Amino acid sequence: MGGLVDRIVHRPIYNLVSERRPSMVRLAKRYDLPRAGRELSALLRDPDDLPRVFGLIDALQGTAAERLRAGFEATEEGRALLAEEPDIVPVLTDRAALRAMPEGSLAHAYLAFVEQENISAEGLVAAAAEGEKTPRDEYRWQRGRMRDTHDLWHAVTGYQGDVLGEISLLAFLLAQHWHPGIAVAVAGAFSKGLTGDGAWLVADGFVRGKRAAWLPSQRWEALLPLPVTEVRARLKLGPPPVYEPLRSSELRARGVV
């Protein structure tokens, strides 16, 4: 029994099915449970460890990539994006051009967010490169698009870069696009005792995600110059939430992490 348990716990799940069910190998490779456990444990100790977030998502991919592709292919705009594969990083890193856009625009809301949090689009790319192990494949562009527009999602939804804001945005994303790794990340937050107003904020994030337009296939490059209030109305997001940010430093002070 001990040998069997050891094999299950310490070997990626695809090793257990590769000989019996060859048709399942490709899918099962996307559920590396031991790695997911390590990434989640590290993330619960340090919620600011962004590469661990990408690592957890990478370890529990399931059929997320195929379903995301189907979502893009379901709309004319999504199909156009897949055909063009635009790189939004140069747009988001040109802060002078963003600052020259109209006051009250999504571009200014994005700038306010990244400057307040002292982060950048390049930082997301670097964190993903550190945390992900999936080789380049036919889904490379769509994964990059989701990564590179993450902080635009923050700006347009109104979730800040604190712990509650990140978890709430993950819940919003989960409602838009089911992903096992993101589901585990959100569940991990609740396992640390997330209750009260914080729990309601996260739950509301999921509800908002269900009600909103599908954000992955939005052409953000064209939305940046528009008033952020107009963009929120167009995407059926409603007003940004009002809440008290919860930083990881406060969690450490409480002894939660």
Side-chain angles (χ1 to χ4, degrees), residues 184-197:
V184 169
V186 174
F190 281 93
S191 76
K192 297 295 286 187
L194 182 62
T195 59
D197 291 343

Side-chain angles (χ1 to χ4, degrees), residues 4 11 18 21 33 38 57 63 67 77 89 97 100-101 110 112 127 133 136-137 150 171 208 216 230 232 235 242 248:
L4 176 61
R11 291 170 57 195
S18 58
R21 302 180 183 178
L33 301 184
R38 293 191 299 271
I57 292 172
T63 59
R67 287 183 286 101
E77 187 72 354
V89 173
M101 292 185 184
Y110 170 78
K133 296 182 180 179
R136 294 169 65 91
D137 58 18
H150 177 80
R208 289 182 77 198
E230 178 182 327
R232 286 170 178 154
L235 300 181
V242 178
S248 55

Side-chain angles (χ1 to χ4, degrees), residues 127-141:
E130 182 179 345
E132 294 177 350
K133 296 182 180 179
T134 299
R136 294 169 65 91
D137 58 18
E138 66 269 33
Y139 304 115
R140 171 197 55 79
W141 176 82

Side-chain angles (χ1 to χ4, degrees), residues 10-30:
H10 296 288
R11 291 170 57 195
I13 192 170
Y14 62 84
N15 287 339
L16 303 178
V17 299
S18 58
E19 295 182 2
R20 294 184 179 180
R21 302 180 183 178
S23 63
M24 294 178 61
V25 172
R26 185 179 180 187
L27 174 59
K29 284 183 179 179
R30 301 177 191 170

